[in-house]
Amino acid sequence: MAVTLHDVARRAGVSIKTVSNVINDRPNVGNTTRALVQAAVEELGYTPNLTARGLRSGRKGALALAVPDLALSYFAELAAAVIETAEAAGVVVLIEQTGASRDREIALLKSPRLNMTDGLIFSPLGMGQEDVEALRVDYPLVVLGERVFDAPTDHVTMHNVAGARAATDHLFSLGRRRIAVVGAHAGEVVGSAGLRLAGYREALAAAGIPFDEDLIGYSELWHRADGANAMRELLSRGVAFDAVFGLNDTLALGAMRVLQEAGRRVPQDVAVIGFDDLDEAPYAIPSLSTVDPGRGWIARTAVGLLLQRIESGGGDAVPQRHLADFRVVARESTVAR
Amino acid sequence: MAVTLHDVARRAGVSIKTVSNVINDRPNVGNTTRALVQAAVEELGYTPNLTARGLRSGRKGALALAVPDLALSYFAELAAAVIETAEAAGVVVLIEQTGASRDREIALLKSPRLNMTDGLIFSPLGMGQEDVEALRVDYPLVVLGERVFDAPTDHVTMHNVAGARAATDHLFSLGRRRIAVVGAHAGEVVGSAGLRLAGYREALAAAGIPFDEDLIGYSELWHRADGANAMRELLSRGVAFDAVFGLNDTLALGAMRVLQEAGRRVPQDVAVIGFDDLDEAPYAIPSLSTVDPGRGWIARTAVGLLLQRIESGGGDAVPQRHLADFRVVARESTVAR
DNA sequence: GTGAAAGCGCTAACAG
DNA sequence: CTGTTAGCGCTTTCAC
């Protein structure tokens, strides 16, 4: 290996600078020289050393994406979209898992590992409002989600409140009135759990239905098993309900599973709606109604924003906030009885 | 930003070499000097420039993982395990998606993008035996799966044939005899589809049951929708069957969905088994029986092997082949009637 | 035990 | 239009 610019230059009988110019197709190079160099590149099988280029130019051609856990479908699908978009721009993606731990999230933000990249797309789950300062970093950063407000960085996020409200309204439109929630985080205000719960409460208030704490199922994480456990607890509590709002699809699927184990028919006895519109939602049994939060748009916007920040040398343009469109996707789990 | 070794050296009143020695905790440095340097590092908030280190030492501290598509749960879960293992070794993971395209896979193998990393863990899906030569690369490479045999590289793979045979035997043990297959690839021999189908045929042969082409459902890809489509086609063909072997869990889940839409009860009318033991398999309705192919072990072994190759300077030790243990996981979708 | 100097492969001035 | 010359920040001989 180790074919360098020098080798190509020697072979083509030109200077290393000219080769560099051809590689980065810069304008000021004669056509014959260009062809000569290109031939040499072919013959020698030259491929630029990205590390050296990165060291010299400061541009690494890589971005980092930090998510809680790739095994969570939502983040896997998000990552797939981010990688696809980045690849189209000739940028590679390095993935970090934080395990939704506040400490690991904060540690990651100042990790030397990041200096292999030009910037970070960060989806925090453990950090909160009190950690705003940790987001004041000296590299391009785009934050996904709404755990932290008034952060000094670009945000791309979804309509958590409005989406949750629409999901709840959808259940109301079927005539359901006792709507259980699965996946709430005790005391949380910011963050997807808090915001979606707020949307649920807004819908309740607008419909004149009192909020009933007994209908709220809590869980730390949002794995399928957490949805199942929360539903088991809800059932064992003996409260009556005719619908369930899973704060995400994974929770909803876990809950749906337990409901059916317990002999409750979905949607006849209990209607179920989730949030995320995972690829698998249409294939659940029954197919799962949900809120499509515009994941693809979010990925594309986040990558675009980050690349733009990188391009502009991280100038301190005023932080932007982008919101994806959402829509309720009605499937079998919320068919009217 | 941009605190360099020089800055630390100046602050500590020592030479840059000494600082470097402390950072990489090399032995030959006095205790007082070491403390002095460490203090300076703290104060200045020095973090090493990994790009420069990579350029100089040749070690980038990164590895690439190439999979067909992160949105496929199997690969998402595999990637999660690889990242976790790599992180424990202080190595970051860069993910490439090939879309299961042969051309993109081959292109990736010689992509300059890879020289940001020390090596590649490669899970091909489009390449075949005729592409062995493309695997003869000059960087450490570990191949996952069995699309290519006699390759000049390390392999980590699963017992596709034996696992599939065990899955089929499990269905036999329930008294099922007409076992449909979902997700076969026409004419494929190597590759997961071909091997798992071979395992199915082995089980058939051992049980003295003739192979019936009518029971084989084909699909190009292994998305949920492909399993659903293959099952729809199988049903429309009107052949009788009392069990289904999904060549992976995703296919099985898609097929199960269609079966129930069509009024076939699982497992009473049709037993269903998959392959992969995805996180979601226990939460399907009914919970999905499957083959656990040892995904975690595969990830750990692949990372270990790659790091070892990298460590040893890519010496041409003889290619190794590692096989994970598997086991059949019986759940509700294959309960005896 | 520590310092000085060279150079990894590339880009970016600045000349010519 | 093309060549020369410095480094980017680090590790690594080789002296001391």
Side-chain angles (χ1 to χ4, degrees):
Chain A
M1 197 79 206
V3 178
T4 77
L5 276 188
H6 286 95
D7 300 325
V8 178
R10 201 173 316 121
R11 173 65 152 249
V14 300
S15 94
I16 150 180
K17 172 60 164 95
T18 303
V19 180
S20 173
N21 281 339
V22 173
I23 301 295
N24 301 285
D25 41 38
R26 248 178 279 275
N28 39 348
V29 144
N31 277 328
T32 35
T33 326
R34 161 163 279 127
L36 208 62
V37 171
Q38 268 156 352
V41 166
E42 284 299 303
E43 285 175 61
L44 267 40
Y46 170 77
T47 106
N49 180 320
L50 268 19
T51 306
R53 180 181 285 177
L55 176 58
R56 181 63 244 223
S57 70
R59 282 288 301 273
K60 327 290 189 327
L63 62 85
L65 170 68
V67 295
D69 184 355
L70 260 197
L72 298 174
S73 302
Y74 177 78
F75 295 111
E77 295 180 16
L78 177 71
V82 166
I83 293 172
E84 199 183 327
T85 310
E87 192 191 349
V91 169
V92 299
V93 178
L94 190 153
I95 298 196
E96 301 275 357
Q97 294 186 121
T98 61
S101 141
R102 171 176 175 272
D103 292 348
R104 285 178 63 190
E105 285 174 357
I106 293 177
L108 174 71
L109 285 167
K110 39 179 63 129
S111 161
R113 302 153 67 91
L114 289 181
N115 69 21
M116 258 186 263
T117 67
D118 295 317
L120 171 67
I121 296 177
F122 184 38
S123 181
L125 208 59
M127 292 174 55
Q129 191 61 41
E130 68 279 15
D131 303 309
V132 202
E133 283 311 312
L135 292 177
R136 203 173 295 284
V137 295
D138 54 8
Y139 49 83
L141 171 65
V142 172
V143 175
L144 263 31
E146 306 169 275
R147 299 242 7 132
V148 178
F149 293 97
D150 307 320
T153 55
D154 293 332
H155 263 70
V156 180
T157 186
M158 55 181 66
H159 280 290
N160 278 303
V161 177
R165 178 167 174 176
T168 312
D169 281 340
H170 174 62
L171 295 171
F172 286 153
S173 77
L174 306 173
R176 312 293 169 123
R177 287 296 176 272
R178 300 275 303 163
I179 300 176
V181 170
V182 164
H185 291 176
E188 187 189 286
V189 179
V190 297
S192 307
L195 295 168
R196 292 179 193 173
L197 191 62
Y200 164 83
R201 296 189 69 153
E202 270 188 15
L204 243 49
I209 298 177
F211 174 76
D212 182 352
E213 176 66 37
D214 282 348
L215 287 171
I216 310 302
Y218 292 93
S219 76
E220 282 287 308
L221 295 176
W222 280 5
H223 285 271
R224 219 178 220 82
D226 300 303
N229 289 336
M231 179 49 68
R232 268 189 212 104
E233 199 207 304
L234 229 33
L235 288 173
S236 73
R237 219 183 276 166
V239 277
F241 55 86
D242 54 13
V244 173
F245 174 26
L247 295 187
N248 82 356
D249 282 357
T250 312
L251 289 163
L253 291 168
M256 198 154 76
R257 155 80 214 194
V258 168
L259 278 170
Q260 300 193 38
E261 268 175 2
R264 312 281 180 110
R265 293 168 306 159
V266 177
Q268 295 88 337
D269 302 330
V270 180
V272 176
I273 193 166
F275 200 115
D276 279 352
D277 196 21
L278 296 185
D279 289 350
E280 70 182 277
Y283 296 97
I285 302 173
S287 60
L288 181 67
S289 297
T290 186
V291 177
D292 171 1
R295 188 175 53 245
W297 186 90
I298 289 176
R300 288 189 299 276
T301 306
V303 172
L305 217 49
L306 189 65
L307 293 180
Q308 186 183 311
R309 286 280 176 193
I310 292 168
E311 212 71 51
S312 72
D316 14 41
V318 45
Q320 298 183 41
R321 181 175 203 81
H322 293 263
L323 268 169
D325 275 344
F326 71 93
R327 74 197 166 88
V328 171
V329 183
R331 299 204 179 92
E332 294 166 356
S333 68
T334 57
V335 164
R337 45 190 155 190
Chain B
M1 196 71 193
V3 178
T4 77
L5 276 187
H6 285 97
D7 300 326
V8 177
R10 200 174 315 120
R11 173 65 152 250
V14 298
S15 94
I16 149 182
K17 170 62 162 93
T18 304
V19 180
S20 173
N21 280 338
V22 173
I23 301 294
N24 301 285
D25 40 37
R26 250 178 277 277
N28 41 347
V29 97
N31 277 326
T32 34
T33 327
R34 161 162 279 125
L36 209 63
V37 170
Q38 268 156 353
V41 166
E42 285 299 303
E43 286 175 59
L44 267 40
Y46 169 76
T47 105
N49 180 320
L50 267 19
T51 306
R53 181 180 285 176
L55 176 58
R56 185 62 245 227
S57 70
R59 282 288 300 271
K60 328 288 189 330
L63 63 85
L65 170 68
V67 295
D69 184 357
L70 259 198
L72 297 174
S73 301
Y74 177 79
F75 295 111
E77 295 180 16
L78 177 72
V82 165
I83 293 173
E84 200 184 326
T85 311
E87 192 190 349
V91 169
V92 300
V93 178
L94 191 152
I95 299 197
E96 300 276 356
Q97 294 186 120
T98 59
S101 140
R102 171 175 176 271
D103 292 348
R104 285 178 63 189
E105 286 174 357
I106 292 177
L108 175 70
L109 285 168
K110 39 178 63 129
S111 163
R113 301 154 66 94
L114 289 180
N115 70 19
M116 256 187 264
T117 67
D118 295 317
L120 170 68
I121 296 177
F122 184 39
S123 183
L125 208 58
M127 293 175 54
Q129 192 61 41
E130 68 280 13
D131 304 310
V132 200
E133 283 310 312
L135 292 176
R136 202 175 295 283
V137 295
D138 54 7
Y139 49 83
L141 170 65
V142 172
V143 175
L144 264 30
E146 306 169 273
R147 297 235 16 123
V148 178
F149 293 97
D150 308 319
T153 56
D154 293 332
H155 262 70
V156 180
T157 185
M158 55 180 69
H159 280 290
N160 278 303
V161 178
R165 177 168 174 174
T168 312
D169 282 340
H170 175 62
L171 295 171
F172 286 153
S173 77
L174 306 172
R176 313 294 169 123
R177 288 296 176 271
R178 299 275 303 162
I179 301 176
V181 170
V182 164
H185 291 177
E188 186 188 286
V189 178
V190 299
S192 306
L195 294 168
R196 291 178 194 173
L197 190 64
Y200 164 83
R201 297 189 69 152
E202 270 188 16
L204 242 48
I209 298 177
F211 174 75
D212 183 352
E213 176 65 38
D214 282 349
L215 287 171
I216 309 302
Y218 292 92
S219 76
E220 282 286 307
L221 294 176
W222 280 5
H223 285 272
R224 222 180 220 80
D226 299 303
N229 289 336
M231 179 50 68
R232 268 189 212 103
E233 200 208 304
L234 230 31
L235 288 174
S236 73
R237 218 182 280 165
V239 278
F241 53 86
D242 53 13
V244 172
F245 174 26
L247 295 188
N248 82 356
D249 281 358
T250 312
L251 289 164
L253 291 167
M256 198 154 78
R257 155 76 214 196
V258 168
L259 278 170
Q260 301 195 38
E261 268 175 0
R264 311 280 180 110
R265 293 168 308 158
V266 177
Q268 296 88 337
D269 302 331
V270 180
V272 177
I273 193 165
F275 201 115
D276 279 352
D277 197 21
L278 296 185
D279 289 350
E280 70 183 274
Y283 296 97
I285 302 173
S287 59
L288 182 67
S289 297
T290 186
V291 177
D292 171 1
R295 187 174 54 245
W297 186 91
I298 289 175
R300 288 189 299 276
T301 306
V303 172
L305 216 48
L306 190 64
L307 293 179
Q308 187 182 310
R309 286 278 176 197
I310 293 168
E311 211 71 52
S312 71
D316 14 39
V318 45
Q320 297 184 43
R321 181 174 202 82
H322 293 262
L323 268 167
D325 274 344
F326 72 92
R327 74 196 166 87
V328 171
V329 183
R331 299 204 178 94
E332 293 165 358
S333 68
T334 58
V335 164
R337 42 190 156 191

